[in-house]
């Protein structure tokens, strides 16, 4: 399994000398933060960012410091501000950022690495949760020569949500602290689960199916963004399974779309200090349905703007 993980990570430039496993990405991230930090410590988080990660940090008694994102991921100056505020860890997504849909370019990765090297003791947690279906090349912070880092990958987005398994490559200190705490709790990831994941990861037919899934998700994401643009509605997403649409009144848009049979997520659960918006997951949205969704969205926006203005 370790050899398969190294073969998976190495082509993307991730150092693979030290690898480990966990029961999913959130399990690993939660364990690391609880080992590395103490209640009251601050963590730099993407804003908007993945709501379960935001909730996890709060549940651990840690403070969240928002870092603004754009189509290329975390903004370097916003990250520098967070580091100056005294954060002890940074949690980010290199691609398929949820909910904004950003991904690191090579230039953005280099800029972020330069900022992070100013604070070498800060733990950098890179959550590559959608890897095989992200529809974007990986420009990993982990490849930038950082002192304290971990690159996490899970398979739940493309092999099955019940496969609660994650792999991580990391620096030797992070490895020792993670595995030491894990030995005191669950001990190890089930070998039956590991064998299942291994068989799927090394199966040619599965590889072909996952590649087709990535193309399908990209088609659906791009179809929705095109139809929204046709209606004059700006949106964000260049990678992954979600589209972020800025709006003025989240509740009005969510409830309005629900009346047309659409369920989208209010942005409040993903935001710390960023502007309002809604998240649309496109995994099951057929391109033919994107036309109707965009049209209904335009109607609802018009109704909400009139109400908001009044």
């Amino acid at each position: 399994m370790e050899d398969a993980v190294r073969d998976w990570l190495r082509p993307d430039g991730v150092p693979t000398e030290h690898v480990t496993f966990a029961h999913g990405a959130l399990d690993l991230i939660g364990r690391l933060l609880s080992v590395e930090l103490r209640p009251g410590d601050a963590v730099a988080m993407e804003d908007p960012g993945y709501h379960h990660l935001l909730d996890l940090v709060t549940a651990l008694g840690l403070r969240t410091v928002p870092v603004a994102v754009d189509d290329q991921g975390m903004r370097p100056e916003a990250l520098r501000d967070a580091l100056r505020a005294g954060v002890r860890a940074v949690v980010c997504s290199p691609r398929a950022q949820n909910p904004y849909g950003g991904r690191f370019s090579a230039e953005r990765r280099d800029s972020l690495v330069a900022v992070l090297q100013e604070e070498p003791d800060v733990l950098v947690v890179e959550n590559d949760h959608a890897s095989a279906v992200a529809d974007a090349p990986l420009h990993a912070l982990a490849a930038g020569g950082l002192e304290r880092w971990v690159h996490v990958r899970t398979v739940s987005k493309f092999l099955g949500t019940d496969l609660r398994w994650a792999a991580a490559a990391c620096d030797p200190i992070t490895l020792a602290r993670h595995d030491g705490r894990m030995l005191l709790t669950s001990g190890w990831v089930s070998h039956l689960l590991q064998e299942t994941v291994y068989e799927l990861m090394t199966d040619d037919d599965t590889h072909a199916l996952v590649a087709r899934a990535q193309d399908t998700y990209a088609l659906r994401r791009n179809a929705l963004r095109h139809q929204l643009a046709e209606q004059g509605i700006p949106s964000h997403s260049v990678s992954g399974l979600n589209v972020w649409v800025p709006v003025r009144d989240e509740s009005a848009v969510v409830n309005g779309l629900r009346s047309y049979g659409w369920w989208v997520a209010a942005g409040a659960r993903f935001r710390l200090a960023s502007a309002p918006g809604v998240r649309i997951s496109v995994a099951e949205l057929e391109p033919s349905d994107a036309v109707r969704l965009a049209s209904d969205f335009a109607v609802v926006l018009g109704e909400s703007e009139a109400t908001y203005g009044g």
Side-chain angles (χ1 to χ4, degrees):
M1 190 76 240
E2 289 186 2
D3 289 341
V5 167
R6 289 187 171 97
D7 290 342
W8 189 23
L9 298 176
R10 193 179 296 112
D12 290 322
V14 178
T16 58
E17 183 178 358
H18 305 285
V19 298
T20 190
F21 307 136
H23 304 278
L26 289 175
D27 173 72
L28 187 144
I29 294 170
R31 185 176 297 108
L32 278 177
L33 293 180
S34 67
V35 170
E36 295 279 346
L37 281 66
R38 297 292 178 267
D41 284 345
V43 182
M45 305 291 293
E46 296 167 328
D47 183 26
Y50 184 40
H51 58 96
H52 285 312
L53 274 173
L54 297 175
D55 293 344
L56 174 62
V57 169
T58 301
L60 292 172
L62 305 171
R63 294 183 293 113
T64 56
V65 175
V67 178
V69 302
D70 57 24
D71 292 335
Q72 297 185 61
M74 278 187 166
R75 298 179 181 177
E77 287 306 315
L79 177 58
R80 180 175 279 112
D81 289 343
L83 292 174
R84 289 173 176 169
V87 301
R88 294 199 53 210
V90 176
V91 180
C92 60
S93 301
R95 51 186 172 179
Q97 197 272 350
N98 186 355
Y100 204 86
R103 54 92 181 97
F104 292 163
S105 64
E107 294 78 12
R108 175 59 58 86
R109 185 270 313 278
D110 292 345
S111 297
L112 292 173
V113 167
V115 172
L116 291 166
Q117 287 175 335
E118 298 172 7
E119 299 289 344
D121 293 332
V122 170
L123 176 65
V124 178
V125 180
E126 193 169 41
N127 181 21
D128 191 20
H129 60 94
S131 59
V133 291
D135 186 40
L138 176 67
H139 299 289
L141 298 175
L146 301 175
E147 292 290 330
R148 299 297 317 282
W149 61 275
V150 57
H151 179 89
V152 189
R153 284 192 188 177
T154 183
V155 297
S156 58
K157 291 290 190 298
F158 52 91
L159 293 184
T161 54
D162 286 325
L163 293 178
R164 309 310 297 174
W165 174 91
C170 54
D171 68 84
I173 295 175
T174 300
L175 177 76
R177 291 178 177 175
H178 173 271
D179 287 3
R181 176 61 63 87
M182 193 171 189
L183 285 173
L184 297 174
T185 54
S186 58
W188 63 84
V189 177
S190 163
H191 293 136
L192 296 176
L193 177 58
Q194 291 190 54
E195 290 171 4
T196 300
V197 172
Y198 175 80
E199 292 297 328
L200 290 170
M201 285 181 62
T202 56
D203 178 69
D204 290 341
D205 290 339
T206 302
H207 286 175
L209 184 61
V210 171
R212 192 175 78 188
Q214 175 177 256
D215 292 343
T216 300
Y217 294 148
L219 176 66
R220 293 174 178 179
R221 183 185 71 245
N222 293 331
L224 177 59
R225 293 202 64 202
H226 173 74
Q227 292 302 327
L228 289 171
E230 288 287 302
Q231 296 289 339
I233 302 171
S235 65
H236 298 276
S237 186
V238 293
S239 173
L241 311 180
N242 302 295
V243 172
W244 179 261
V245 185
V247 299
R248 293 178 65 182
D249 188 336
E250 293 177 359
S251 296
V253 172
V254 170
N255 291 329
L257 286 173
R258 190 181 305 169
S259 69
Y260 286 89
W262 303 107
W263 183 274
V264 301
R269 62 194 306 201
F270 305 96
R271 296 188 294 108
L272 294 170
S274 55
V278 296
R279 187 194 73 171
I280 305 174
S281 295
V282 300
E284 297 184 0
L285 182 68
E286 294 288 349
S288 57
D289 292 329
V291 178
R292 183 167 61 89
L293 173 54
S295 176
D296 292 343
F297 205 119
V299 173
V300 168
L301 272 184
E303 294 173 347
S304 67
E305 292 292 323
T307 302
Y308 192 93

